[in-house]
Amino acid sequence: EWQQAQTSTMGATQASTDAAMAAGTPPPSITSGRTMTMGGTAWATLLFLLVTAAAGVYGWTTVTLTETRFLDENGNAIVEASFNNPGLLLVAMLVALGLGILTAFKPKLARFTGFGYALGMGYVLGAISAYYEASWNGIVVQAILGTFGVFTAMLLLYGLRILRVTPRMVKMIVGATFGIMIMYGVAFIASLFGADMAFVYGTGGGSFGILLSLFIVGVAAFNLLLDFDFIEKGSKSGLPSYMEWYGAFGLLVTLVWIYIEMLRLLARLRG
């Protein structure tokens, strides 16, 4: 259940952010005061990431590991992970979802709600990471490195203008993101009627599950281009300084999505 809720939460938040940034509410009026800069957005992103990481450390400690009497193929005792407070985990997901959607359409609130989102989602990520680590040793470090690698690669591709954000590309990325969100929603409803949707939410699905994860990671990666484009154009257009926090929030949402899907992809690859 937690995998379904977590995946649906990320899908809804990312789709809302895409809609607001690429095809939603009109941009705020250009101001004569302090304006949005790429440096300011970078600092805001760093602060959000630090808060997310701090909350993640706490979330990690809320998972209890218990050794079973069963052994894995290497002769080591299999460890089972359990959430100490699953109710709080669900509340954190719902709060993060609510704040995420609110922030997507209320940019002025990003400097406040963004931190709330970082706290809630950070707590969830920490607990989920500990759960995955219990089953696949070292997978969290791999997912972090993979997320950083995707971010760096997309930033270089964008900065060198190898990939350009055109209106057609925006439509394709937003359309694919909404398509994934709809898939999450349909899979969630189907699971309520007993359908096995592990290929969407879980770590199963065989080769198809791996291909699906690769596709989702790819779409999430291309969402970074929308974030970079928004930040660059906003800085050049002289948008109000509070849009730095909005741009940072968009980056945070995308990075969280990439990290979660990277965990799932690596788990599927490792069987």
Side-chain angles (χ1 to χ4, degrees), residues 98-188:
L99 290 176
I101 294 176
L102 175 64
T103 307
F105 295 100
K106 295 292 183 180
K108 284 188 176 182
L109 299 178
R111 70 182 68 189
F112 309 111
T113 55
F115 283 106
Y117 175 84
L119 284 170
M121 190 53 67
Y123 172 80
V124 172
L125 289 181
I128 290 174
S129 297
Y131 188 93
Y132 271 87
E133 186 70 17
S135 299
W136 297 279
N137 185 43
I139 195 172
V140 171
V141 173
Q142 292 175 342
I144 292 174
L145 292 176
T147 302
F148 178 76
V150 169
F151 174 83
T152 303
M154 298 308 289
L155 182 60
L156 287 174
L157 291 173
Y158 179 82
L160 296 175
R161 297 299 187 263
I162 296 175
L163 290 178
R164 298 177 181 273
V165 179
T166 62
R168 182 180 180 182
M169 177 182 283
V170 171
K171 291 179 181 179
M172 292 176 62
I173 296 173
V174 173
T177 302
F178 269 93
I180 292 171
M181 182 192 70
I182 293 173
M183 180 190 68
Y184 287 157
V186 171
F188 177 74

Side-chain angles (χ1 to χ4, degrees), residues 5-6 9-10 13 47-60 62 83 85-100 103 112-129 249 252-253 256 260:
Q6 157 254 316
T9 296
M10 280 312 308
T13 306
L47 287 175
F48 281 158
L49 289 175
L50 288 175
V51 171
T52 303
V57 171
Y58 174 72
W60 185 289
T62 64
F83 300 114
N85 195 336
L88 180 59
L89 186 67
L90 179 60
V91 169
M93 286 183 188
L94 294 177
V95 169
L97 172 62
L99 290 176
T103 307
F112 309 111
T113 55
F115 283 106
Y117 175 84
L119 284 170
M121 190 53 67
Y123 172 80
V124 172
L125 289 181
I128 290 174
S129 297
F249 167 77
L252 176 63
V253 170
V256 167
I260 290 175

